[in-house]
Amino acid sequence: MKILVIEDEEGLRESIEEYFTEDGNICETAANYNNAMVKINLYRYDCILLDITLPGGNGINILKSIKENNYPDGVLIISAKNSLDDRLEGLNLGADDYLVKPFHLSELKARVMAIIRRKSFNGSNQLIFNEITIDLLAKEVKAGKSTVKLTRKEYALLLYFIANKGKVVSKNAIAEHLWGDGIDMANNFDFIYSHIKNIRKKLMEAGCSDYIQAAYGMGYKFTDL
Amino acid sequence: MKLITKYNQVNVITTIIIMLITGVIYYQAVSLILTYQKDKDLVVEEQEIYEYVNLNNKLPQTFQSNDQQIIFLEAAPGSVKRRFIDTVYFKKREKDSLHKNDHDHNKHPAHKHHGWYEAGRGLITFVTVGDKYYKILIIESKVETEDLIRIIFSITIGVILLLLIVLLLTNRLILNRLWKPFYKTMGELRLFNIADPRDISKSETEIDEFKELNNAVFYMTAKAKHDYKDLKSFTENASHELLTPIAVINSKLDTLIQTENFSDRQSKLLNDLYTAVSRLNRLNQSLLLLVKIENKLLSDQQIIKLGILLEETIIQFEEIFLDKELKLTYSISDKDIYASRYLIEILISNLIGNAIRHNYKGGEVIINLTAESLTIQNTDGDTALTDKIFTRFYKSSGSEGSGLGLTISKQICENVGFSLSYLYKDSYHTFVVKFKG
């Protein structure tokens, strides 16, 4: 897949680029408005990560330009503005998602993967990873032929892991993904451990390989063995 | 004490003192003049007696008129000194018998006679008839004089009292009217809300002092508002500027953990970093949210089914309840409210979150939603919390929160028109959200 990161903050841009660049993925970057405009008019991307506040112009205009030209690229707005109006404006103009800074890279990746999935599968709502088949509409998970009964959160977690396969996902990122901001009430993330244990058990009982590994006590990694 | 009360107090006290002093002086003056008049009458009487004695060489018949008594007494020659005295005058009830007043005015054998004593003025003098020496006592009743003084005095006092009452009343009326602009300004100040964009209205007045006061108040509040706005936008800008570095730290941490081979010590350090950054982030988000609520920037008003929202939130926190082995009891009835969904979600998540966080393992949380109020109770220490819990950055010892959760909750309630209060009852910490009305 091909991704364009339009972000003026160098540190953030580099991190995103590094996180997204892997086998078969191309990640390009643009640090300012003009540069971004040139790129979106020259190349097509599976997903464009768009910062709103850019040197040289407003990111909203880039979004408008993409939509006016009927480019099929998915657009994910990454913005420091967390107001409902900004969010609605972005989504109304045709952005696929809106992510507020700061975010975990794994969260970003999961969102991007969701957008690309929606765009590229074209109605086929199946996500296949080795022997695991996920029906995204029915929210059903199958391992080979047998159905794996997952709770809502376990299902979300599995999708999250698959989107970030091969990456260490921190416990913080998992907690925030599943429980949102309310998570600060738990002083430790021990309950994540039992959660992961459950999902692993369920998958393995259905005949899957053990894809989820603990990583240095900081998080977990979903690896294709 | 009200100004008018104080003013009236001073006014009344000074008026009464001055009235008393002038009353005494006035009384003395009138009484002196009238006594002088009486004395002249007495002297005329004395002259008449002298003339009679000179002419007839004998004492005149002692007689008694309505208001005059004359008494002759033999006395040792030269023993009487001519002088005026204040004495009493015995007034008989009937004129049937002549009665001589006792010469000694200190004794009043009133019980022997029918009549009464009146104030009198007397002249003690002497006359020599032949070789006999007589003491003369002329007494005149002062009752008319006294009456006159009394009448004059009471009319004067009456007039002064009337004047005083009229003054007090008019003062009250005038002062009340005069102070009206002052009270209006006071009312405005009482309603003054620093976050309210509306300016204080200047009340119309012709009085310079109040105009000055109004101007001072107007400029003061305008300045306070301006400073507050500055401070607020500073908070907003500062929080906003913090977002980018936090985002960078976060993403760098996410990138860092992708590099392999961490020792236990390193991963512990990284974990601590993650926790700190996420706290910093939450704190920052809370500050931004507070500014937003205060600026009333959240206007996605809609009808919210509070019961359903509560149930969703409870399900959301299910694992955390389980993890802390908290016993959750709830009774939820249908309640629709009209408010910003975003804010109400935060409110509920904050309150339930607090009930979970400030609780011990195996504790209890009770949630109760009725048409009037939402009550969330939790077990924790057995001492009530202070009122300070609603102030910014107040944290109980050992709290890992941002210290802004309850401030935000309170602000949300105020914004929506609810009231949020805390009480400690039956060893439960209880937060009550009362809905409108």
Side-chain angles (χ1 to χ4, degrees), chain B residues 345-369:
Chain B
E345 276 174 2
I346 290 171
L347 174 68
I348 287 175
S349 143
N350 270 351
L351 291 178
I352 297 182
N354 276 341
I356 296 173
R357 193 188 315 134
H358 301 286
N359 217 326
Y360 46 78
K361 211 166 178 121
E364 217 182 319
V365 176
I366 303 169
I367 300 170
N368 198 1
L369 174 67

PDB file of all heavy atoms in Angstrom, chain B residues 345-369:
ATOM      1  N   GLU B 345     -21.324  12.506  28.214  1.00  0.00           N
ATOM      2  CA  GLU B 345     -20.489  11.296  28.241  1.00  0.00           C
ATOM      3  C   GLU B 345     -19.301  11.496  29.166  1.00  0.00           C
ATOM      4  O   GLU B 345     -18.952  10.625  29.964  1.00  0.00           O
ATOM      5  CB  GLU B 345     -19.996  10.964  26.825  1.00  0.00           C
ATOM      6  CG  GLU B 345     -21.008  10.175  26.021  1.00  0.00           C
ATOM      7  CD  GLU B 345     -20.562   9.977  24.578  1.00  0.00           C
ATOM      8  OE1 GLU B 345     -19.454  10.424  24.227  1.00  0.00           O
ATOM      9  OE2 GLU B 345     -21.346   9.386  23.814  1.00  0.00           O
ATOM     10  N   ILE B 346     -18.681  12.668  29.042  1.00  0.00           N
ATOM     11  CA  ILE B 346     -17.524  12.953  29.901  1.00  0.00           C
ATOM     12  C   ILE B 346     -17.949  12.990  31.362  1.00  0.00           C
ATOM     13  O   ILE B 346     -17.296  12.423  32.240  1.00  0.00           O
ATOM     14  CB  ILE B 346     -16.871  14.288  29.489  1.00  0.00           C
ATOM     15  CG1 ILE B 346     -16.200  14.121  28.129  1.00  0.00           C
ATOM     16  CG2 ILE B 346     -15.863  14.740  30.531  1.00  0.00           C
ATOM     17  CD1 ILE B 346     -15.715  15.400  27.533  1.00  0.00           C
ATOM     18  N   LEU B 347     -19.086  13.644  31.630  1.00  0.00           N
ATOM     19  CA  LEU B 347     -19.584  13.758  33.004  1.00  0.00           C
ATOM     20  C   LEU B 347     -19.773  12.378  33.629  1.00  0.00           C
ATOM     21  O   LEU B 347     -19.270  12.094  34.720  1.00  0.00           O
ATOM     22  CB  LEU B 347     -20.912  14.530  33.004  1.00  0.00           C
ATOM     23  CG  LEU B 347     -21.651  14.614  34.330  1.00  0.00           C
ATOM     24  CD1 LEU B 347     -20.886  15.456  35.320  1.00  0.00           C
ATOM     25  CD2 LEU B 347     -23.038  15.181  34.134  1.00  0.00           C
ATOM     26  N   ILE B 348     -20.467  11.514  32.905  1.00  0.00           N
ATOM     27  CA  ILE B 348     -20.769  10.195  33.453  1.00  0.00           C
ATOM     28  C   ILE B 348     -19.507   9.367  33.611  1.00  0.00           C
ATOM     29  O   ILE B 348     -19.278   8.731  34.642  1.00  0.00           O
ATOM     30  CB  ILE B 348     -21.798   9.486  32.547  1.00  0.00           C
ATOM     31  CG1 ILE B 348     -23.151  10.157  32.753  1.00  0.00           C
ATOM     32  CG2 ILE B 348     -21.880   8.011  32.851  1.00  0.00           C
ATOM     33  CD1 ILE B 348     -24.211   9.642  31.857  1.00  0.00           C
ATOM     34  N   SER B 349     -18.664   9.437  32.591  1.00  0.00           N
ATOM     35  CA  SER B 349     -17.433   8.653  32.660  1.00  0.00           C
ATOM     36  C   SER B 349     -16.537   9.158  33.792  1.00  0.00           C
ATOM     37  O   SER B 349     -15.897   8.377  34.487  1.00  0.00           O
ATOM     38  CB  SER B 349     -16.766   8.693  31.288  1.00  0.00           C
ATOM     39  OG  SER B 349     -15.401   8.761  31.392  1.00  0.00           O
ATOM     40  N   ASN B 350     -16.531  10.479  34.030  1.00  0.00           N
ATOM     41  CA  ASN B 350     -15.750  11.040  35.133  1.00  0.00           C
ATOM     42  C   ASN B 350     -16.256  10.554  36.482  1.00  0.00           C
ATOM     43  O   ASN B 350     -15.476  10.139  37.342  1.00  0.00           O
ATOM     44  CB  ASN B 350     -15.846  12.573  35.125  1.00  0.00           C
ATOM     45  CG  ASN B 350     -14.752  13.203  34.297  1.00  0.00           C
ATOM     46  OD1 ASN B 350     -13.831  12.514  33.859  1.00  0.00           O
ATOM     47  ND2 ASN B 350     -14.855  14.483  34.063  1.00  0.00           N
ATOM     48  N   LEU B 351     -17.573  10.634  36.665  1.00  0.00           N
ATOM     49  CA  LEU B 351     -18.147  10.297  37.972  1.00  0.00           C
ATOM     50  C   LEU B 351     -18.004   8.805  38.264  1.00  0.00           C
ATOM     51  O   LEU B 351     -17.612   8.411  39.359  1.00  0.00           O
ATOM     52  CB  LEU B 351     -19.625  10.719  38.027  1.00  0.00           C
ATOM     53  CG  LEU B 351     -19.858  12.238  38.049  1.00  0.00           C
ATOM     54  CD1 LEU B 351     -21.338  12.545  38.065  1.00  0.00           C
ATOM     55  CD2 LEU B 351     -19.171  12.883  39.239  1.00  0.00           C
ATOM     56  N   ILE B 352     -18.302   7.978  37.253  1.00  0.00           N
ATOM     57  CA  ILE B 352     -18.162   6.535  37.478  1.00  0.00           C
ATOM     58  C   ILE B 352     -16.682   6.188  37.641  1.00  0.00           C
ATOM     59  O   ILE B 352     -16.301   5.391  38.493  1.00  0.00           O
ATOM     60  CB  ILE B 352     -18.810   5.731  36.334  1.00  0.00           C
ATOM     61  CG1 ILE B 352     -20.314   6.014  36.296  1.00  0.00           C
ATOM     62  CG2 ILE B 352     -18.568   4.239  36.513  1.00  0.00           C
ATOM     63  CD1 ILE B 352     -21.070   5.253  35.244  1.00  0.00           C
ATOM     64  N   GLY B 353     -15.857   6.854  36.818  1.00  0.00           N
ATOM     65  CA  GLY B 353     -14.412   6.631  36.910  1.00  0.00           C
ATOM     66  C   GLY B 353     -13.895   6.938  38.301  1.00  0.00           C
ATOM     67  O   GLY B 353     -13.112   6.173  38.868  1.00  0.00           O
ATOM     68  N   ASN B 354     -14.356   8.047  38.882  1.00  0.00           N
ATOM     69  CA  ASN B 354     -13.946   8.401  40.243  1.00  0.00           C
ATOM     70  C   ASN B 354     -14.378   7.343  41.241  1.00  0.00           C
ATOM     71  O   ASN B 354     -13.629   6.982  42.149  1.00  0.00           O
ATOM     72  CB  ASN B 354     -14.559   9.746  40.651  1.00  0.00           C
ATOM     73  CG  ASN B 354     -13.729  10.911  40.153  1.00  0.00           C
ATOM     74  OD1 ASN B 354     -12.562  10.740  39.820  1.00  0.00           O
ATOM     75  ND2 ASN B 354     -14.337  12.073  40.099  1.00  0.00           N
ATOM     76  N   ALA B 355     -15.627   6.882  41.063  1.00  0.00           N
ATOM     77  CA  ALA B 355     -16.170   5.889  41.995  1.00  0.00           C
ATOM     78  C   ALA B 355     -15.336   4.611  41.945  1.00  0.00           C
ATOM     79  O   ALA B 355     -15.190   3.915  42.945  1.00  0.00           O
ATOM     80  CB  ALA B 355     -17.626   5.587  41.664  1.00  0.00           C
ATOM     81  N   ILE B 356     -14.765   4.321  40.760  1.00  0.00           N
ATOM     82  CA  ILE B 356     -13.922   3.124  40.641  1.00  0.00           C
ATOM     83  C   ILE B 356     -12.528   3.407  41.190  1.00  0.00           C
ATOM     84  O   ILE B 356     -11.978   2.647  41.966  1.00  0.00           O
ATOM     85  CB  ILE B 356     -13.828   2.678  39.167  1.00  0.00           C
ATOM     86  CG1 ILE B 356     -15.198   2.249  38.652  1.00  0.00           C
ATOM     87  CG2 ILE B 356     -12.831   1.539  39.027  1.00  0.00           C
ATOM     88  CD1 ILE B 356     -15.226   1.962  37.172  1.00  0.00           C
ATOM     89  N   ARG B 357     -11.977   4.541  40.788  1.00  0.00           N
ATOM     90  CA  ARG B 357     -10.590   4.832  41.157  1.00  0.00           C
ATOM     91  C   ARG B 357     -10.440   5.005  42.654  1.00  0.00           C
ATOM     92  O   ARG B 357      -9.517   4.480  43.261  1.00  0.00           O
ATOM     93  CB  ARG B 357     -10.105   6.070  40.428  1.00  0.00           C
ATOM     94  CG  ARG B 357      -8.609   6.204  40.549  1.00  0.00           C
ATOM     95  CD  ARG B 357      -8.064   7.500  40.006  1.00  0.00           C
ATOM     96  NE  ARG B 357      -8.620   7.863  38.727  1.00  0.00           N
ATOM     97  CZ  ARG B 357      -9.063   9.096  38.455  1.00  0.00           C
ATOM     98  NH1 ARG B 357      -9.006  10.024  39.376  1.00  0.00           N
ATOM     99  NH2 ARG B 357      -9.529   9.382  37.269  1.00  0.00           N
ATOM    100  N   HIS B 358     -11.369   5.785  43.240  1.00  0.00           N
ATOM    101  CA  HIS B 358     -11.269   6.004  44.678  1.00  0.00           C
ATOM    102  C   HIS B 358     -12.091   4.942  45.401  1.00  0.00           C
ATOM    103  O   HIS B 358     -13.133   5.218  45.966  1.00  0.00           O
ATOM    104  CB  HIS B 358     -11.764   7.408  45.026  1.00  0.00           C
ATOM    105  CG  HIS B 358     -10.990   8.476  44.320  1.00  0.00           C
ATOM    106  ND1 HIS B 358      -9.714   8.819  44.678  1.00  0.00           N
ATOM    107  CD2 HIS B 358     -11.289   9.251  43.256  1.00  0.00           C
ATOM    108  CE1 HIS B 358      -9.274   9.778  43.872  1.00  0.00           C
ATOM    109  NE2 HIS B 358     -10.211  10.049  42.987  1.00  0.00           N
ATOM    110  N   ASN B 359     -11.599   3.746  45.338  1.00  0.00           N
ATOM    111  CA  ASN B 359     -12.312   2.639  45.939  1.00  0.00           C
ATOM    112  C   ASN B 359     -11.283   1.580  46.286  1.00  0.00           C
ATOM    113  O   ASN B 359     -10.189   1.578  45.752  1.00  0.00           O
ATOM    114  CB  ASN B 359     -13.326   2.074  44.926  1.00  0.00           C
ATOM    115  CG  ASN B 359     -14.608   1.627  45.603  1.00  0.00           C
ATOM    116  OD1 ASN B 359     -14.572   1.144  46.731  1.00  0.00           O
ATOM    117  ND2 ASN B 359     -15.711   1.787  44.919  1.00  0.00           N
ATOM    118  N   TYR B 360     -11.633   0.708  47.193  1.00  0.00           N
ATOM    119  CA  TYR B 360     -10.682  -0.345  47.518  1.00  0.00           C
ATOM    120  C   TYR B 360     -11.117  -1.639  46.853  1.00  0.00           C
ATOM    121  O   TYR B 360     -12.253  -1.776  46.405  1.00  0.00           O
ATOM    122  CB  TYR B 360     -10.549  -0.515  49.032  1.00  0.00           C
ATOM    123  CG  TYR B 360     -11.850  -0.543  49.784  1.00  0.00           C
ATOM    124  CD1 TYR B 360     -12.637  -1.690  49.804  1.00  0.00           C
ATOM    125  CD2 TYR B 360     -12.290   0.585  50.470  1.00  0.00           C
ATOM    126  CE1 TYR B 360     -13.827  -1.713  50.492  1.00  0.00           C
ATOM    127  CE2 TYR B 360     -13.490   0.560  51.163  1.00  0.00           C
ATOM    128  CZ  TYR B 360     -14.258  -0.601  51.166  1.00  0.00           C
ATOM    129  OH  TYR B 360     -15.444  -0.622  51.841  1.00  0.00           O
ATOM    130  N   LYS B 361     -10.208  -2.556  46.796  1.00  0.00           N
ATOM    131  CA  LYS B 361     -10.501  -3.832  46.169  1.00  0.00           C
ATOM    132  C   LYS B 361     -11.625  -4.509  46.932  1.00  0.00           C
ATOM    133  O   LYS B 361     -11.589  -4.598  48.151  1.00  0.00           O
ATOM    134  CB  LYS B 361      -9.245  -4.712  46.171  1.00  0.00           C
ATOM    135  CG  LYS B 361      -9.197  -5.632  44.978  1.00  0.00           C
ATOM    136  CD  LYS B 361      -7.819  -6.240  44.784  1.00  0.00           C
ATOM    137  CE  LYS B 361      -7.893  -7.189  43.594  1.00  0.00           C
ATOM    138  NZ  LYS B 361      -6.990  -6.851  42.529  1.00  0.00           N
ATOM    139  N   GLY B 362     -12.656  -4.926  46.214  1.00  0.00           N
ATOM    140  CA  GLY B 362     -13.799  -5.559  46.865  1.00  0.00           C
ATOM    141  C   GLY B 362     -14.798  -4.552  47.400  1.00  0.00           C
ATOM    142  O   GLY B 362     -15.687  -4.910  48.164  1.00  0.00           O
ATOM    143  N   GLY B 363     -14.636  -3.285  47.019  1.00  0.00           N
ATOM    144  CA  GLY B 363     -15.555  -2.239  47.482  1.00  0.00           C
ATOM    145  C   GLY B 363     -16.873  -2.273  46.733  1.00  0.00           C
ATOM    146  O   GLY B 363     -17.221  -3.262  46.081  1.00  0.00           O
ATOM    147  N   GLU B 364     -17.586  -1.156  46.837  1.00  0.00           N
ATOM    148  CA  GLU B 364     -18.946  -1.149  46.322  1.00  0.00           C
ATOM    149  C   GLU B 364     -19.207   0.137  45.545  1.00  0.00           C
ATOM    150  O   GLU B 364     -18.719   1.208  45.919  1.00  0.00           O
ATOM    151  CB  GLU B 364     -19.906  -1.226  47.510  1.00  0.00           C
ATOM    152  CG  GLU B 364     -21.134  -2.063  47.250  1.00  0.00           C
ATOM    153  CD  GLU B 364     -22.055  -2.037  48.456  1.00  0.00           C
ATOM    154  OE1 GLU B 364     -21.538  -2.109  49.587  1.00  0.00           O
ATOM    155  OE2 GLU B 364     -23.259  -1.929  48.252  1.00  0.00           O
ATOM    156  N   VAL B 365     -19.965   0.033  44.457  1.00  0.00           N
ATOM    157  CA  VAL B 365     -20.404   1.211  43.723  1.00  0.00           C
ATOM    158  C   VAL B 365     -21.911   1.087  43.525  1.00  0.00           C
ATOM    159  O   VAL B 365     -22.401   0.033  43.123  1.00  0.00           O
ATOM    160  CB  VAL B 365     -19.705   1.322  42.349  1.00  0.00           C
ATOM    161  CG1 VAL B 365     -20.267   2.500  41.564  1.00  0.00           C
ATOM    162  CG2 VAL B 365     -18.200   1.477  42.512  1.00  0.00           C
ATOM    163  N   ILE B 366     -22.625   2.166  43.862  1.00  0.00           N
ATOM    164  CA  ILE B 366     -24.079   2.148  43.689  1.00  0.00           C
ATOM    165  C   ILE B 366     -24.474   3.292  42.771  1.00  0.00           C
ATOM    166  O   ILE B 366     -24.127   4.448  43.022  1.00  0.00           O
ATOM    167  CB  ILE B 366     -24.808   2.305  45.041  1.00  0.00           C
ATOM    168  CG1 ILE B 366     -24.373   1.198  46.001  1.00  0.00           C
ATOM    169  CG2 ILE B 366     -26.314   2.267  44.831  1.00  0.00           C
ATOM    170  CD1 ILE B 366     -24.828   1.422  47.417  1.00  0.00           C
ATOM    171  N   ILE B 367     -25.167   2.970  41.689  1.00  0.00           N
ATOM    172  CA  ILE B 367     -25.603   4.000  40.750  1.00  0.00           C
ATOM    173  C   ILE B 367     -27.121   4.008  40.725  1.00  0.00           C
ATOM    174  O   ILE B 367     -27.755   2.952  40.635  1.00  0.00           O
ATOM    175  CB  ILE B 367     -25.042   3.727  39.343  1.00  0.00           C
ATOM    176  CG1 ILE B 367     -23.508   3.729  39.387  1.00  0.00           C
ATOM    177  CG2 ILE B 367     -25.541   4.772  38.355  1.00  0.00           C
ATOM    178  CD1 ILE B 367     -22.864   3.245  38.125  1.00  0.00           C
ATOM    179  N   ASN B 368     -27.670   5.199  40.845  1.00  0.00           N
ATOM    180  CA  ASN B 368     -29.120   5.301  40.932  1.00  0.00           C
ATOM    181  C   ASN B 368     -29.594   6.460  40.065  1.00  0.00           C
ATOM    182  O   ASN B 368     -29.245   7.612  40.308  1.00  0.00           O
ATOM    183  CB  ASN B 368     -29.491   5.537  42.400  1.00  0.00           C
ATOM    184  CG  ASN B 368     -30.947   5.230  42.649  1.00  0.00           C
ATOM    185  OD1 ASN B 368     -31.664   4.829  41.723  1.00  0.00           O
ATOM    186  ND2 ASN B 368     -31.391   5.438  43.871  1.00  0.00           N
ATOM    187  N   LEU B 369     -30.389   6.151  39.042  1.00  0.00           N
ATOM    188  CA  LEU B 369     -30.905   7.216  38.171  1.00  0.00           C
ATOM    189  C   LEU B 369     -32.415   7.297  38.330  1.00  0.00           C
ATOM    190  O   LEU B 369     -33.134   6.329  38.111  1.00  0.00           O
ATOM    191  CB  LEU B 369     -30.546   6.928  36.710  1.00  0.00           C
ATOM    192  CG  LEU B 369     -31.155   7.896  35.682  1.00  0.00           C
ATOM    193  CD1 LEU B 369     -30.572   9.279  35.818  1.00  0.00           C
ATOM    194  CD2 LEU B 369     -30.947   7.373  34.271  1.00  0.00           C
TER     195      LEU B 369
END
